[in-house]
Amino acid sequence: MKLHFTKMHGAGNDFIVLDATAAPLELSAAQWQALADRHFGIGADQILIVERSTRPDADFRYRIFNNDGGEVEHCGNGARCFVRFVSERGLTSKRSIRVEVQHGIITLTLQDNGEVTVDMGAPILDPAQVPFVPGALPTRAESEDTLYGLDINGQTRWISAVSMGNPHAVQVVDDVEAFPVREEGPLVEHHPAFPKRVNAGYMQIIDRNTIHLRVFERGAGETLACGTGACAAVVAGIRRNLLDTPVRVKTHGGWLTIAWGSATDSVRMTGPAVTVFEGTIDLDRLNPPA
């Protein structure tokens, strides 16, 4: 089976994009893993599937698979690549499109300067809906937010729990480059308080309109950028009265701009979306070691 693919990235968060608007595409978890493998396949943080919408109020449907083969709810950087892909492929002539994702609809707008703005919807702050089950975890109030203490390697890490359609645990650190993100990230991801696992965000406050951010993504590891993670971090920072909208977010892959007003407002993310190359791959030849 041969697949035509497009390789894209949003601030260094890289994707394989597949067009399934003409015919459904269903692969096994092992096949998604093989495609995303950086040594034996194409290589990517996530795989994005463009499909026909299943509802009349959306232009397309959008599915995301992590490089571990698991399907996830949302990906902000991928959403920006999505709108550039359907525009460049001639699948739509609209500058603004409505896209069906797992938990609703998002609106994507292609800007004249080539960047893309995504209406990410309102953040989900109710722990049960994140989903987050704090149980007897210690808590402390900080402005409008409630922080929860996770025991990570014998130390208490205070996190904000936010969902942007996918779960995030955001903590503030003094020096994000020196912090052991890759060591502690997996422990936060698999903490039992998060029944569907969680993306672990590490935010350094530079000033009230600027942060530096690293994210250890659920099922993908640390990525160069995480769009939903940037949104969740800014929401947490504003609720803690540490930030003012809009906020510039520096990631290892580049800059994102996040704007948010109040709990009932949508979060708006603006950033780059770049096509890297296209090609065709024979799935039958993918044979990574067991």
Side-chain angles (χ1 to χ4, degrees), residues 41-118:
I42 301 165
D45 293 323
Q46 282 99 12
I47 300 167
L48 313 180
I49 314 300
V50 182
E51 298 181 342
R52 292 181 180 274
S53 176
T54 64
R55 45 193 290 179
D57 55 347
D59 299 294
F60 296 96
R61 184 180 181 218
Y62 165 40
R63 298 175 67 197
I64 310 111
F65 291 86
N66 277 339
N67 59 22
D68 68 352
E71 186 170 3
V72 293
E73 305 93 339
H74 203 354
C75 175
N77 289 324
R80 296 199 314 278
C81 290
F82 185 102
V83 69
R84 178 166 289 282
F85 176 86
V86 296
S87 177
E88 291 180 348
R89 295 274 294 184
L91 297 175
T92 183
S93 59
K94 296 180 179 180
R95 302 287 289 182
S96 184
I97 62 173
R98 289 168 57 81
V99 177
E100 177 187 356
V101 293
Q102 228 181 72
H103 295 309
I105 289 180
I106 57 175
T107 301
L108 320 174
T109 303
L110 185 61
Q111 306 291 344
D112 291 339
N113 66 358
E115 291 199 326
V116 177
T117 297
V118 184

Coordinates of all heavy atoms in Angstrom, one line a residue, residues 41-118:
G41 N 11.1 5.3 9.3 CA 10.0 5.8 8.6 C 10.2 7.2 8.1 O 11.4 7.6 7.8
I42 N 9.2 8.0 8.1 CA 9.3 9.4 7.6 C 9.8 10.3 8.8 O 10.7 11.1 8.6 CB 7.9 10.0 7.2 CG1 7.4 9.1 6.0 CG2 8.0 11.4 6.7 CD1 5.9 9.3 5.7
G43 N 9.2 10.0 10.0 CA 9.6 10.8 11.2 C 8.7 12.0 11.4 O 8.5 12.8 10.6
A44 N 8.1 12.0 12.6 CA 7.2 13.1 13.0 C 6.8 12.9 14.5 O 6.9 11.9 15.1 CB 5.9 13.1 12.2
D45 N 6.4 14.1 15.1 CA 5.8 14.1 16.4 C 4.4 13.5 16.3 O 4.0 12.7 17.2 CB 5.8 15.5 17.0 CG 7.1 16.0 17.3 OD1 8.0 15.3 17.7 OD2 7.3 17.3 17.1
Q46 N 3.6 13.9 15.3 CA 2.3 13.4 15.2 C 1.9 13.2 13.7 O 2.6 13.8 12.8 CB 1.3 14.4 15.8 CG 1.1 14.4 17.3 CD 1.9 15.5 17.9 OE1 2.4 16.4 17.3 NE2 2.1 15.4 19.3
I47 N 0.9 12.5 13.5 CA 0.4 12.3 12.1 C -1.0 12.9 12.1 O -1.9 12.6 12.9 CB 0.3 10.8 11.8 CG1 1.7 10.2 11.8 CG2 -0.3 10.5 10.4 CD1 1.7 8.6 11.8
L48 N -1.3 13.7 11.1 CA -2.6 14.4 10.9 C -3.3 13.8 9.8 O -2.8 13.7 8.7 CB -2.3 15.9 10.7 CG -1.3 16.6 11.6 CD1 -1.2 18.1 11.2 CD2 -1.7 16.4 13.0
I49 N -4.6 13.5 10.0 CA -5.5 13.0 8.9 C -6.5 14.0 8.6 O -7.3 14.4 9.4 CB -6.1 11.7 9.4 CG1 -5.1 10.7 10.1 CG2 -6.8 11.0 8.2 CD1 -4.0 10.3 9.2
V50 N -6.6 14.3 7.3 CA -7.6 15.3 6.8 C -8.8 14.4 6.2 O -8.6 13.6 5.3 CB -7.0 16.2 5.7 CG1 -8.1 17.2 5.2 CG2 -5.8 16.9 6.2
E51 N -10.0 14.6 6.8 CA -11.1 13.8 6.3 C -12.3 14.7 6.0 O -12.3 15.9 6.4 CB -11.5 12.8 7.5 CG -10.5 11.8 7.8 CD -10.9 10.9 8.9 OE1 -11.9 11.2 9.6 OE2 -10.3 9.8 9.1
R52 N -13.3 14.1 5.4 CA -14.5 14.8 5.1 C -15.3 15.0 6.5 O -15.2 14.1 7.3 CB -15.4 14.1 4.2 CG -14.9 14.0 2.7 CD -15.9 13.2 1.9 NE -15.4 13.2 0.5 CZ -15.7 14.1 -0.4 NH1 -16.4 15.2 -0.1 NH2 -15.2 14.0 -1.7
S53 N -15.9 16.1 6.7 CA -16.7 16.3 7.9 C -17.8 15.4 8.0 O -18.4 15.0 7.0 CB -17.1 17.7 8.0 OG -17.9 17.9 9.2
T54 N -18.2 15.0 9.3 CA -19.4 14.2 9.5 C -20.6 15.0 9.9 O -21.6 14.5 10.2 CB -19.1 13.1 10.6 OG1 -18.8 13.8 11.8 CG2 -17.9 12.3 10.2
R55 N -20.4 16.4 9.9 CA -21.5 17.2 10.3 C -21.6 18.4 9.4 O -20.6 18.9 8.9 CB -21.3 17.7 11.8 CG -19.9 18.1 12.2 CD -19.7 18.2 13.6 NE -20.4 19.4 14.2 CZ -20.4 19.7 15.5 NH1 -19.7 18.9 16.4 NH2 -21.1 20.7 16.0
P56 N -22.8 19.0 9.2 CA -23.0 20.0 8.2 C -22.4 21.4 8.6 O -22.2 22.2 7.7 CB -24.5 20.1 8.1 CG -25.0 19.7 9.4 CD -24.1 18.6 9.9
D57 N -22.0 21.6 9.8 CA -21.5 22.9 10.2 C -20.0 23.0 10.2 O -19.4 23.9 10.8 CB -22.1 23.3 11.6 CG -21.8 22.3 12.7 OD1 -21.4 21.2 12.3 OD2 -22.0 22.6 13.9
A58 N -19.3 22.0 9.6 CA -17.9 22.0 9.5 C -17.4 21.7 8.1 O -18.1 21.1 7.3 CB -17.3 21.0 10.5
D59 N -16.2 22.2 7.8 CA -15.7 22.0 6.4 C -14.9 20.7 6.3 O -14.9 20.1 5.2 CB -14.8 23.2 6.1 CG -15.5 24.5 6.0 OD1 -16.4 24.7 5.2 OD2 -15.2 25.4 6.9
F60 N -14.2 20.4 7.4 CA -13.4 19.1 7.3 C -13.5 18.5 8.7 O -13.9 19.1 9.7 CB -11.9 19.5 7.0 CG -11.7 20.0 5.7 CD1 -11.6 21.4 5.5 CD2 -11.6 19.2 4.6 CE1 -11.4 21.9 4.2 CE2 -11.4 19.7 3.3 CZ -11.3 21.1 3.1
R61 N -13.0 17.3 8.8 CA -12.7 16.6 10.0 C -11.2 16.4 10.2 O -10.5 16.2 9.2 CB -13.4 15.2 10.1 CG -13.3 14.4 11.4 CD -14.0 13.1 11.3 NE -13.9 12.4 12.6 CZ -13.8 11.1 12.6 NH1 -13.7 10.3 11.5 NH2 -13.7 10.5 13.8
Y62 N -10.7 16.4 11.4 CA -9.3 16.4 11.7 C -9.0 15.4 12.8 O -9.6 15.5 13.8 CB -8.9 17.8 12.1 CG -7.6 18.1 12.7 CD1 -6.4 17.5 12.3 CD2 -7.5 19.1 13.7 CE1 -5.2 17.8 12.9 CE2 -6.3 19.4 14.3 CZ -5.2 18.8 13.9 OH -4.0 19.1 14.5
R63 N -8.1 14.4 12.5 CA -7.7 13.4 13.4 C -6.2 13.4 13.6 O -5.5 13.7 12.7 CB -8.2 12.0 13.0 CG -9.7 11.9 12.9 CD -10.1 10.5 12.3 NE -9.8 9.4 13.2 CZ -9.7 8.1 12.9 NH1 -9.9 7.8 11.6 NH2 -9.4 7.2 13.8
I64 N -5.8 13.1 14.9 CA -4.4 13.2 15.2 C -3.9 11.9 15.9 O -4.6 11.4 16.8 CB -4.1 14.4 16.2 CG1 -4.8 15.7 15.7 CG2 -2.6 14.5 16.5 CD1 -5.9 16.1 16.6
F65 N -2.8 11.4 15.4 CA -2.2 10.2 16.0 C -0.8 10.6 16.5 O 0.0 11.1 15.7 CB -2.1 9.0 15.1 CG -3.4 8.5 14.7 CD1 -4.2 9.0 13.7 CD2 -4.0 7.4 15.5 CE1 -5.5 8.5 13.4 CE2 -5.2 6.9 15.2 CZ -6.0 7.4 14.2
N66 N -0.4 10.3 17.8 CA 0.9 10.5 18.3 C 1.9 9.5 17.7 O 1.5 8.5 17.1 CB 0.9 10.4 19.8 CG 0.5 11.7 20.5 OD1 0.6 12.8 19.9 ND2 0.1 11.6 21.7
N67 N 3.2 9.8 17.9 CA 4.1 8.8 17.3 C 4.2 7.5 18.1 O 5.0 6.6 17.7 CB 5.5 9.5 17.2 CG 6.1 10.0 18.5 OD1 5.7 9.5 19.6 ND2 7.0 10.9 18.4
D68 N 3.4 7.4 19.2 CA 3.3 6.1 19.8 C 2.2 5.3 19.3 O 1.9 4.2 19.7 CB 3.2 6.2 21.3 CG 1.9 6.9 21.8 OD1 1.1 7.3 20.9 OD2 1.6 6.9 23.0
G69 N 1.4 5.8 18.3 CA 0.3 5.1 17.6 C -1.0 5.4 18.2 O -2.0 4.9 17.7
G70 N -1.1 6.2 19.3 CA -2.4 6.4 20.0 C -3.0 7.7 19.4 O -2.4 8.7 19.1
E71 N -4.4 7.6 19.3 CA -5.1 8.8 18.8 C -5.4 9.8 20.0 O -5.7 9.3 21.1 CB -6.4 8.4 18.2 CG -7.2 9.5 17.5 CD -8.4 9.1 16.7 OE1 -8.7 7.9 16.7 OE2 -9.0 9.9 16.1
V72 N -5.2 11.1 19.7 CA -5.4 12.1 20.7 C -6.4 13.1 20.3 O -6.8 13.1 19.1 CB -4.1 12.8 21.1 CG1 -3.1 11.8 21.8 CG2 -3.4 13.4 19.9
E73 N -6.8 14.0 21.2 CA -8.0 14.8 21.0 C -7.7 16.1 20.2 O -8.5 16.6 19.4 CB -8.6 15.3 22.3 CG -9.0 14.1 23.3 CD -7.8 13.8 24.2 OE1 -6.7 14.1 23.9 OE2 -8.1 13.2 25.3
H74 N -6.5 16.7 20.3 CA -6.3 18.0 19.8 C -4.8 18.2 19.6 O -4.0 17.7 20.3 CB -6.9 19.0 20.7 CG -7.2 20.4 20.1 ND1 -6.9 20.7 18.8 CD2 -7.8 21.5 20.6 CE1 -7.4 21.9 18.5 NE2 -7.9 22.4 19.6
C75 N -4.5 19.1 18.7 CA -3.1 19.6 18.5 C -3.1 20.9 17.9 O -3.5 21.1 16.7 CB -2.3 18.6 17.6 SG -0.6 19.1 17.2
G76 N -2.7 21.9 18.6 CA -2.8 23.3 18.1 C -1.8 23.6 17.0 O -2.2 24.2 16.0
N77 N -0.6 23.2 17.1 CA 0.4 23.4 16.0 C -0.1 22.6 14.7 O 0.1 23.1 13.6 CB 1.8 23.0 16.4 CG 2.4 23.9 17.4 OD1 2.2 25.1 17.3 ND2 3.2 23.4 18.3
G78 N -0.6 21.4 14.9 CA -1.1 20.7 13.8 C -2.3 21.3 13.2 O -2.5 21.3 11.9
A79 N -3.1 22.0 13.9 CA -4.3 22.7 13.4 C -3.9 23.8 12.4 O -4.5 24.0 11.4 CB -5.2 23.3 14.5
R80 N -2.8 24.5 12.8 CA -2.3 25.5 11.8 C -1.8 24.9 10.5 O -2.0 25.4 9.4 CB -1.2 26.3 12.5 CG -1.7 27.1 13.7 CD -0.7 28.3 14.1 NE 0.7 27.9 14.1 CZ 1.3 27.2 15.1 NH1 0.6 26.9 16.2 NH2 2.6 26.9 15.0
C81 N -1.1 23.8 10.7 CA -0.6 23.1 9.5 C -1.8 22.6 8.6 O -1.7 22.6 7.4 CB 0.3 21.9 9.8 SG 1.9 22.5 10.5
F82 N -2.8 22.2 9.3 CA -4.0 21.6 8.7 C -4.6 22.7 7.7 O -4.9 22.4 6.5 CB -5.1 21.3 9.7 CG -6.3 20.6 9.2 CD1 -6.5 19.3 9.3 CD2 -7.3 21.4 8.5 CE1 -7.6 18.7 8.8 CE2 -8.4 20.8 8.0 CZ -8.6 19.4 8.2
V83 N -4.8 23.9 8.1 CA -5.4 24.9 7.2 C -4.5 25.3 6.1 O -4.9 25.5 4.9 CB -5.8 26.2 8.0 CG1 -4.6 27.0 8.5 CG2 -6.7 27.1 7.2
R84 N -3.2 25.3 6.3 CA -2.3 25.5 5.2 C -2.3 24.4 4.2 O -2.3 24.6 3.0 CB -0.8 25.8 5.7 CG 0.2 26.0 4.6 CD 1.5 26.6 5.1 NE 1.3 27.9 5.5 CZ 1.3 29.0 4.7 NH1 1.3 28.8 3.4 NH2 1.2 30.2 5.2
F85 N -2.4 23.2 4.7 CA -2.4 22.0 3.8 C -3.6 22.0 2.9 O -3.5 21.8 1.7 CB -2.4 20.7 4.7 CG -2.6 19.4 3.9 CD1 -1.4 18.8 3.4 CD2 -3.8 18.9 3.7 CE1 -1.5 17.6 2.6 CE2 -3.9 17.7 2.9 CZ -2.8 17.1 2.4
V86 N -4.8 22.2 3.5 CA -6.0 22.1 2.7 C -6.1 23.3 1.7 O -6.7 23.2 0.6 CB -7.3 22.1 3.5 CG1 -7.4 20.8 4.3 CG2 -7.5 23.3 4.4
S87 N -5.4 24.4 2.0 CA -5.4 25.6 1.1 C -4.4 25.3 0.0 O -4.7 25.5 -1.2 CB -4.9 26.8 1.9 OG -4.8 27.9 1.0
E88 N -3.2 24.8 0.3 CA -2.2 24.5 -0.7 C -2.6 23.4 -1.7 O -2.2 23.3 -2.8 CB -0.8 24.2 -0.1 CG -0.2 25.4 0.6 CD 1.1 25.1 1.3 OE1 1.5 23.9 1.4 OE2 1.8 26.1 1.6
R89 N -3.4 22.4 -1.1 CA -3.8 21.3 -1.9 C -5.0 21.6 -2.8 O -5.5 20.7 -3.5 CB -4.1 20.1 -1.0 CG -2.9 19.5 -0.3 CD -2.1 18.5 -1.0 NE -2.9 17.3 -1.3 CZ -2.4 16.2 -1.9 NH1 -1.2 16.2 -2.3 NH2 -3.1 15.2 -2.0
G90 N -5.6 22.8 -2.6 CA -6.8 23.1 -3.4 C -8.1 22.5 -2.9 O -9.0 22.4 -3.6
L91 N -8.1 22.0 -1.6 CA -9.2 21.4 -1.1 C -10.3 22.4 -0.6 O -11.4 22.0 -0.4 CB -8.8 20.5 0.1 CG -7.9 19.3 -0.2 CD1 -7.5 18.5 1.0 CD2 -8.6 18.3 -1.2
T92 N -9.9 23.6 -0.5 CA -10.8 24.7 -0.2 C -10.2 26.0 -0.7 O -8.9 26.1 -0.7 CB -11.1 24.8 1.3 OG1 -12.0 25.9 1.6 CG2 -9.8 25.1 2.1
S93 N -11.0 27.0 -1.0 CA -10.6 28.3 -1.3 C -10.8 29.3 -0.2 O -10.5 30.5 -0.3 CB -11.3 28.8 -2.6 OG -12.7 28.9 -2.4
K94 N -11.4 28.8 0.9 CA -11.7 29.7 2.0 C -10.4 30.1 2.8 O -9.5 29.3 2.9 CB -12.7 29.0 3.0 CG -14.0 28.7 2.4 CD -14.9 28.0 3.5 CE -16.3 27.6 3.0 NZ -17.1 27.0 4.0
R95 N -10.4 31.3 3.3 CA -9.3 31.8 4.2 C -9.6 31.4 5.6 O -8.6 31.3 6.4 CB -9.1 33.3 4.1 CG -8.9 33.8 2.7 CD -7.5 33.5 2.2 NE -6.5 34.3 2.9 CZ -5.2 34.2 2.7 NH1 -4.7 33.4 1.7 NH2 -4.3 35.0 3.3
S96 N -10.8 31.1 6.0 CA -11.2 30.7 7.3 C -12.1 29.5 7.2 O -13.1 29.5 6.5 CB -11.9 31.9 8.0 OG -12.2 31.5 9.4
I97 N -11.7 28.4 7.9 CA -12.5 27.2 7.8 C -12.8 26.7 9.2 O -12.2 27.0 10.2 CB -11.7 26.1 7.1 CG1 -10.4 25.7 7.8 CG2 -11.4 26.5 5.7 CD1 -9.7 24.5 7.2
R98 N -13.9 25.9 9.3 CA -14.4 25.3 10.5 C -14.0 23.8 10.4 O -14.4 23.2 9.4 CB -15.9 25.5 10.7 CG -16.2 26.9 11.1 CD -17.7 27.2 11.0 NE -18.5 26.3 11.9 CZ -18.7 26.5 13.2 NH1 -18.1 27.5 13.8 NH2 -19.4 25.7 13.9
V99 N -13.4 23.3 11.4 CA -12.8 21.9 11.4 C -13.4 21.2 12.6 O -13.3 21.6 13.8 CB -11.3 22.0 11.4 CG1 -10.7 20.5 11.4 CG2 -10.8 22.7 10.2
E100 N -13.9 20.0 12.3 CA -14.4 19.1 13.3 C -13.2 18.3 14.0 O -12.4 17.7 13.3 CB -15.3 18.1 12.7 CG -15.9 17.0 13.6 CD -16.7 16.0 12.8 OE1 -16.9 16.2 11.6 OE2 -17.2 15.0 13.4
V101 N -13.1 18.4 15.3 CA -12.1 17.6 16.1 C -12.9 16.8 17.1 O -14.1 16.8 17.1 CB -11.1 18.6 16.8 CG1 -10.3 19.3 15.8 CG2 -11.9 19.6 17.7
Q102 N -12.2 16.0 17.9 CA -12.9 15.0 18.7 C -13.9 15.6 19.6 O -15.0 15.0 19.8 CB -11.8 14.3 19.6 CG -11.9 12.8 19.5 CD -10.9 12.1 20.4 OE1 -10.9 12.1 21.6 NE2 -9.9 11.5 19.7
H103 N -13.7 16.8 20.2 CA -14.6 17.3 21.2 C -15.3 18.6 20.7 O -15.6 19.5 21.5 CB -13.9 17.6 22.5 CG -13.4 16.3 23.1 ND1 -14.2 15.2 23.4 CD2 -12.2 16.0 23.6 CE1 -13.5 14.3 23.9 NE2 -12.3 14.7 24.1
G104 N -15.5 18.8 19.4 CA -16.2 20.0 18.9 C -15.7 20.5 17.6 O -15.2 19.7 16.8
I105 N -15.8 21.8 17.4 CA -15.3 22.4 16.2 C -14.4 23.6 16.5 O -14.6 24.3 17.5 CB -16.5 23.0 15.4 CG1 -17.3 21.8 14.8 CG2 -16.1 23.9 14.3 CD1 -18.5 22.2 14.0
I106 N -13.3 23.7 15.7 CA -12.4 24.8 15.9 C -12.4 25.6 14.6 O -12.7 25.1 13.5 CB -10.9 24.4 16.2 CG1 -10.4 23.4 15.2 CG2 -10.9 23.8 17.6 CD1 -9.0 23.0 15.4
T107 N -12.1 26.9 14.7 CA -12.0 27.8 13.5 C -10.6 28.2 13.2 O -9.9 28.6 14.1 CB -12.9 29.1 13.7 OG1 -14.2 28.7 14.0 CG2 -12.8 29.9 12.5
L108 N -10.1 28.0 12.0 CA -8.7 28.2 11.6 C -8.7 29.3 10.5 O -9.5 29.2 9.5 CB -8.1 27.0 11.0 CG -8.4 25.7 11.8 CD1 -7.8 24.5 11.0 CD2 -7.9 25.7 13.2
T109 N -7.9 30.3 10.6 CA -7.8 31.4 9.7 C -6.4 31.6 9.2 O -5.5 31.8 9.9 CB -8.3 32.7 10.3 OG1 -9.7 32.5 10.8 CG2 -8.4 33.9 9.3
L110 N -6.3 31.6 7.8 CA -5.0 31.8 7.2 C -4.8 33.3 7.0 O -5.6 34.0 6.4 CB -4.9 31.1 5.8 CG -3.6 31.2 5.0 CD1 -2.5 30.5 5.8 CD2 -3.8 30.5 3.7
Q111 N -3.7 33.9 7.6 CA -3.4 35.3 7.6 C -2.7 35.7 6.3 O -2.0 34.8 5.7 CB -2.7 35.7 8.8 CG -3.3 35.4 10.2 CD -4.6 36.1 10.4 OE1 -4.9 37.1 9.8 NE2 -5.4 35.6 11.4
D112 N -2.7 37.0 6.0 CA -2.0 37.4 4.8 C -0.5 37.3 4.9 O 0.2 37.1 3.9 CB -2.3 38.9 4.5 CG -3.8 39.1 4.1 OD1 -4.4 38.2 3.6 OD2 -4.3 40.3 4.3
N113 N 0.1 37.3 6.1 CA 1.5 37.1 6.3 C 2.0 35.7 6.3 O 3.1 35.4 6.5 CB 2.0 37.9 7.5 CG 1.4 37.2 8.8 OD1 0.7 36.3 8.8 ND2 1.8 37.8 9.9
G114 N 1.0 34.8 6.1 CA 1.4 33.3 6.0 C 1.2 32.6 7.3 O 1.2 31.4 7.4
E115 N 1.0 33.4 8.4 CA 0.8 32.7 9.7 C -0.7 32.3 9.8 O -1.5 32.7 9.0 CB 1.1 33.6 10.9 CG 2.6 33.9 11.0 CD 3.0 34.4 12.4 OE1 2.2 35.1 13.0 OE2 4.1 34.0 12.9
V116 N -1.0 31.5 10.8 CA -2.4 31.0 10.9 C -2.8 31.3 12.4 O -2.1 31.1 13.3 CB -2.4 29.5 10.7 CG1 -3.8 28.9 10.9 CG2 -2.0 29.1 9.3
T117 N -4.1 31.8 12.5 CA -4.7 32.0 13.8 C -5.8 30.9 14.0 O -6.6 30.6 13.1 CB -5.4 33.4 13.8 OG1 -4.4 34.4 13.7 CG2 -6.1 33.6 15.2
V118 N -5.7 30.3 15.2 CA -6.6 29.2 15.5 C -7.5 29.7 16.7 O -7.0 30.1 17.7 CB -5.9 27.9 15.9 CG1 -6.9 26.8 16.2 CG2 -4.9 27.5 14.8

